[in-house]
Amino acid sequence: MPTTERRPILLEFEKPLAELEARIDQIRQLAEDNDVDVSAQIHQLESRADQLRQEIFTSLSPAQRLQVARHPRRPSTLDYIQAISDEWIELHGDRRSGKDDPALVTGIARFQGRPVVMLGHQKGRDTKDNVTRNFGMASPGGYRKAMRMMEHADRFGMPIFCFIDTPGAYPGYEAEEMGQGEAIAYNLREMFRLNVPILCTVIGEGGSGGALGIGVGDRLLMFEHSVYTVASPEACAAILWKDAGRSAQAAEALKITAVDLKNLGILDELLPEPIGGAHAAPLVAAENLKKALQRNLNELLALTPQERRDLRYQKFRQIGVFSEEGYSTMARD
């Protein structure tokens, strides 16, 4: 998991907290240099810092939550896999293109003593790595690789864990030429027929069809500060108002946060994050994820394959159902 010992990367809304913490460090250093006891004052300021941190991260706007979801030090798919699994063997290639897509990782793991298949989008840890992994934007080969591993899991009765963290599928000319839309559509169809339990978790940014390509599951989990959206707020604002600068307004309207999706009945479980976000205490976040996956997996394993498929189908049929004032019947969007 990433450490927090490196120089912190501050988001705009974190600056007041950083200034207060810098002031505390300055006072502590001055006290040590001058052999003065200011422990009471420092304790008071630290309490204020804890209170401020709590206030900031419990009242984030959708646009601010998006910033946290995109934080460069937020734990990635491989970070979580290494933290929650007992063994992990990464497997490569879609067996069709002769290539391997590093933006979507797949493999076999052992989870709580049980063999499982784990897969997910993988962003880079720095600029060079991000370029190599195409910023987590998978190509058709990545989605075909994921489907190959899911079929392997179904054949051998292994549950599937999908970790979603992408701004969207790669929209480049080569990806379209290789059948990006077909690859995602194929996954959407085929995931509905799989007999094994499928648990999908949005660990950061769930964007558009790129997220849906590995997002058809029995349960959808999301971290508290993650987002799930049909289009990025910047793209939405550019389309609706011809002004990407209105992305904050778009983020509010799109209902992209875990709380919004929980209220809409799309999200099955909201996973709490440490105060300051998952990147502030990644091992705590990983433990929360591990417990939630174990609990949901046990519930799904108690069902028959047919019951799981039926519930999976009904889950997605209910998405988009809404009611209007003045009407007693339900309409479908």
Side-chain angles (χ1 to χ4, degrees):
M1 300 293 286
T3 66
T4 56
E5 295 179 359
R6 296 169 293 176
R7 185 175 180 180
I9 298 174
L10 293 177
L11 301 175
E12 186 64 32
F13 56 83
E14 292 180 297
K15 288 183 179 179
L17 176 62
E19 290 171 359
L20 179 56
E21 290 177 335
R23 182 182 170 194
I24 293 172
D25 290 339
Q26 185 180 29
I27 293 173
R28 182 181 287 111
Q29 187 61 51
L30 286 171
E32 290 178 1
D33 292 344
N34 294 280
D35 196 23
V36 178
D37 182 12
V38 292
S39 56
Q41 292 87 335
I42 289 177
H43 178 72
Q44 185 178 7
L45 288 171
E46 287 177 337
S47 297
R48 172 56 187 151
D50 290 340
Q51 181 183 355
L52 182 58
R53 185 180 296 105
Q54 182 81 21
E55 290 172 357
I56 290 173
F57 281 90
T58 55
S59 59
L60 295 178
S61 68
Q64 290 171 332
R65 289 186 190 276
L66 179 60
Q67 291 180 53
V68 179
R70 291 173 173 172
H71 197 286
R73 290 182 183 164
R74 191 170 177 85
S76 68
T77 290
L78 287 176
D79 291 326
Y80 283 121
I81 287 175
Q82 291 165 7
I84 69 175
S85 63
D86 303 318
E87 288 182 72
W88 162 249
I89 302 173
E90 185 174 353
L91 299 175
H92 303 271
D94 63 354
R95 302 300 187 266
R96 292 176 62 177
S97 66
K99 300 178 182 179
D100 181 62
D101 183 3
L104 207 160
V105 297
T106 66
I108 299 173
R110 192 173 296 279
F111 178 77
Q112 300 289 281
R114 178 185 297 276
V116 301
V117 163
M118 294 186 179
L119 57 97
H121 304 100
Q122 180 64 33
K123 293 180 178 179
R125 302 178 192 277
D126 52 37
T127 302
K128 183 179 179 181
D129 195 20
N130 255 322
V131 171
T132 299
R133 295 193 181 275
N134 202 26
F135 297 86
M137 296 186 292
S139 68
Y143 291 105
R144 290 176 180 132
K145 174 173 67 171
M147 195 66 241
R148 179 177 72 84
M149 287 305 302
M150 287 189 273
E151 289 172 343
H152 178 84
D154 195 53
R155 189 177 303 117
F156 292 99
M158 294 185 286
I160 300 168
F161 294 168
C162 300
F163 302 107
I164 297 168
D165 187 18
T166 179
Y170 181 52
Y173 178 83
E174 183 183 1
E176 296 300 329
E177 190 176 49
M178 293 169 61
Q180 184 72 285
E182 184 274 339
I184 293 173
Y186 183 84
N187 282 19
L188 292 174
R189 185 187 72 186
E190 294 301 300
M191 290 181 78
F192 277 106
R193 70 166 177 80
L194 300 179
N195 292 309
V196 295
I198 307 174
L199 287 161
C200 302
T201 306
V202 183
I203 61 174
E205 186 178 8
S208 192
L212 288 175
I214 58 169
V216 177
D218 302 299
R219 300 282 168 85
L220 175 63
L221 287 62
M222 283 180 69
F223 272 106
E224 180 182 357
H225 299 311
S226 60
V227 297
Y228 205 7
T229 175
V230 67
S232 71
E234 294 87 351
C236 177
I239 294 168
L240 292 181
W241 303 299
K242 312 299 182 186
D243 182 7
R246 297 176 67 178
S247 60
Q249 182 180 350
E252 185 73 39
L254 283 168
K255 304 299 181 186
I256 64 176
T257 70
V259 173
D260 290 327
L261 295 177
K262 182 70 173 176
N263 292 337
L264 290 169
I266 296 172
L267 175 63
D268 294 299
E269 184 170 347
L270 189 156
L271 306 180
E273 295 189 29
I275 295 298
H279 58 279
L283 291 178
V284 175
E287 186 62 26
N288 292 342
L289 173 61
K290 186 175 183 178
K291 290 177 180 177
L293 290 173
Q294 182 65 67
R295 181 173 60 255
N296 282 276
L297 180 59
N298 288 340
E299 293 172 3
L300 292 171
L301 288 171
L303 304 176
T304 67
Q306 185 63 52
E307 287 173 332
R308 284 195 294 267
R309 289 197 306 271
D310 290 343
L311 290 173
R312 193 182 305 156
Y313 174 79
Q314 290 301 326
K315 172 181 174 60
F316 282 84
R317 288 291 292 175
Q318 290 301 314
I319 294 176
V321 174
F322 64 94
S323 61
E324 295 186 34
E325 290 187 15
Y327 293 88
S328 58
T329 58
M330 299 297 285
R332 286 195 182 277
D333 188 2

